[in-house]
Amino acid sequence: MRFSHDKNLNLIAEKVERGERLSFDEGVALYKTVDLNALGKLGDFVRRAKHGRTTYYNVNRHFNHTNICVADCKFCGFYKRARQEGAYTHSIDEGIEIARNAVAEGATELHIVGGLNTKLPFEYYTDLFSSLKREFPKLHLKALTMVELDFFARFYKMSDEDVIERLKAAGMDSCPGGGAEIFAEPTRSRICDHKCDGNRWLELSGKVHQAGIKTNATMLYGHIETIEDRVDHFVKLREQQDKTGGFQCFIPLAFYPNGTALSSLPGPDAIDNLKTIAVSRLMIDNFDHIKAYWVMLGKATAQTALHFGANDLDGTITDGGELTHSYANDGEVKMSKQELIQMIENAGFEAVERDTVYNRVERLAA
Ligand code: V47
């Protein structure tokens, strides 16, 4: 039996089996196939070669310190202007209380991101991180995107290296993958022209890696971008990874239009979501982990994505931050550890709790 009724896919499958890197055109061909099963099988082949049946999850909580933002991104339903109703900035004490609850519930990670807020001094961030570390030395702070770091360097007139070193000294352990959106122009400028461009996002990732800090990478898809824009994104990420090697995980983020300036768009469908998991696994060959972020995909698609190349479901989120609420596909922003494990096992995989940098977490039985 031939592998696929799609001739292009048969040729690409041979390269994948030989472990050869796929070209830009092959990435586009993968996306254009109508043989979803064969594409999924290829993604699963690579996933099993790297991880076998292991599927990771973590126990985490999101904390969005402020929703005040000057960036005005068209896809965002979270941000407010400083004087707009609903604008907020959490105090450091509030941050500590949120972290206290998270730790009490077993969280190993606090995921901290917020708006680009011109009212806050740089010391707000260093004080926040050092206070959190003083109270909860073992809690991993996965904090601040490359877009926030770029904003700090420009707004507080500091070098990139200074920004990174001072935040690292205060307690920033790793960085989440947000703000990558879509690198290709003119698409990026059409959806987020007030924040750093794709080259700058990549440059800063490299500098953070050189400072010994791991980061993640995302791609926001299912809005106005083309298939070529997506494949370009994959190629640029793997080129950066070849240079600086500090990316741990790629997370495709399915656009959720409700409450945004792009609310007339439909957002991606399940086929597109599954294809994006598989194509990213095949194209970004030098990233270890592909995450099916259940909050945006919805639980059912995220579970299915484990058979298309994903080996991570992210975490419990536990009531989320306000940003998570703005894009939650099924309106759900928390999941128990038991439910995550059940989802993974029902899909035929072995559930492994990890910390943020993919060490296994061993817990004493309750
Ligand atoms: O950068 C904003 C995206 C990102 C919407 O690193 C939206 O482990 C869909 O990066 N529809 C922030 N997406 C979230 C993020 C993330 C999430 C989970 C884990 C990790 C990780 C990173 O969310 C933003 C933007 O790309 N986003 N609005 C929306 N309406």
Side-chain angles (χ1 to χ4, degrees), residues 75-76 111 142 176-179 181 216 218 220 251 253-256 260 291 293 296 314 323 327:
F75 55 79
C76 180
H111 178 146
K142 181 175 82 176
E181 322 310 359
N216 291 338
T218 57
L220 181 69
I251 312 128
L253 299 175
F255 176 52
Y256 180 71
T260 75
K291 192 185 279 184
Y293 187 41
M296 283 180 200
D314 199 79
L323 174 59
Y327 56 54

Side-chain angles (χ1 to χ4, degrees), residues 13 28-29 51 75 93 102 105 115 137 168 171 176 187-188 226 228 239 244 251 256 277 294 317 339:
V28 174
H51 303 286
F75 55 79
D93 284 347
E105 287 172 6
K168 182 181 174 188
T187 311
R188 186 178 182 86
T226 61
E228 285 74 13
E239 283 172 354
T244 53
I251 312 128
Y256 180 71
I277 293 283
W294 64 265
I317 316 289
E339 196 183 347

Side-chain angles (χ1 to χ4, degrees), residues 73-120:
C73 300
K74 304 284 173 287
F75 55 79
C76 180
F78 162 69
Y79 80 95
K80 302 270 187 234
R81 292 293 188 190
R83 275 186 271 279
Q84 213 178 326
E85 201 188 327
Y88 74 83
T89 299
H90 284 303
S91 68
I92 290 177
D93 284 347
E94 285 166 344
I96 288 177
E97 276 324 295
I98 288 168
R100 192 181 307 289
N101 290 333
V103 170
E105 287 172 6
T108 57
E109 165 190 297
L110 193 63
H111 178 146
I112 310 173
V113 290
L116 309 182
N117 185 336
T118 55
K119 301 277 183 269
L120 293 173

Side-chain angles (χ1 to χ4, degrees), residues 81-290:
R81 292 293 188 190
R83 275 186 271 279
Q84 213 178 326
E85 201 188 327
Y88 74 83
T89 299
H90 284 303
S91 68
I92 290 177
D93 284 347
E94 285 166 344
I96 288 177
E97 276 324 295
I98 288 168
R100 192 181 307 289
N101 290 333
V103 170
E105 287 172 6
T108 57
E109 165 190 297
L110 193 63
H111 178 146
I112 310 173
V113 290
L116 309 182
N117 185 336
T118 55
K119 301 277 183 269
L120 293 173
F122 185 66
E123 287 67 31
Y124 170 85
Y125 299 93
T126 48
D127 288 350
L128 175 65
F129 295 170
S130 55
S131 306
L132 287 167
K133 280 290 175 192
R134 211 168 21 248
E135 291 281 329
F136 315 107
K138 291 206 202 114
L139 184 64
H140 182 108
L141 304 183
K142 181 175 82 176
L144 304 172
T145 65
M146 298 310 111
V147 169
E148 289 166 284
L149 300 186
D150 167 69
F151 171 74
F152 294 168
R154 287 185 292 117
F155 188 69
Y156 303 118
K157 299 194 178 15
M158 292 163 65
S159 71
D160 297 340
E161 288 73 16
D162 246 19
V163 169
I164 295 165
E165 279 312 320
R166 285 182 61 187
L167 293 167
K168 182 181 174 188
M172 180 177 80
D173 293 307
S174 71
C175 296
E181 322 310 359
I182 198 88
F183 297 140
E185 295 291 357
T187 311
R188 186 178 182 86
S189 293
R190 290 194 181 129
I191 58 167
C192 55
D193 58 344
H194 296 138
K195 68 187 190 195
C196 71
D197 68 14
N199 288 336
R200 174 74 174 141
W201 190 98
L202 290 161
E203 179 195 24
L204 265 171
S205 300
K207 289 187 176 185
V208 173
H209 298 167
Q210 271 148 8
I213 293 183
K214 300 282 187 197
T215 71
N216 291 338
T218 57
M219 174 181 78
L220 181 69
Y221 68 96
H223 44 90
I224 61 164
E225 86 289 359
T226 61
I227 293 304
E228 285 74 13
D229 290 344
R230 297 184 192 182
V231 177
D232 169 80
H233 199 90
F234 300 150
V235 170
K236 286 187 172 135
L237 281 176
R238 79 182 180 194
E239 283 172 354
Q240 184 61 47
Q241 181 77 326
D242 279 342
K243 288 188 216 149
T244 53
F247 290 118
Q248 304 197 96
C249 171
F250 176 69
I251 312 128
L253 299 175
F255 176 52
Y256 180 71
N258 292 9
T260 75
L262 300 175
S263 60
S264 58
L265 298 177
D269 62 16
I271 303 292
D272 197 7
N273 288 333
L274 292 173
K275 277 187 170 181
T276 301
I277 293 283
V279 182
S280 59
R281 171 57 87 192
L282 294 164
M283 288 299 293
I284 315 179
D285 51 15
N286 51 4
F287 276 48
D288 285 340
H289 307 287
I290 303 288

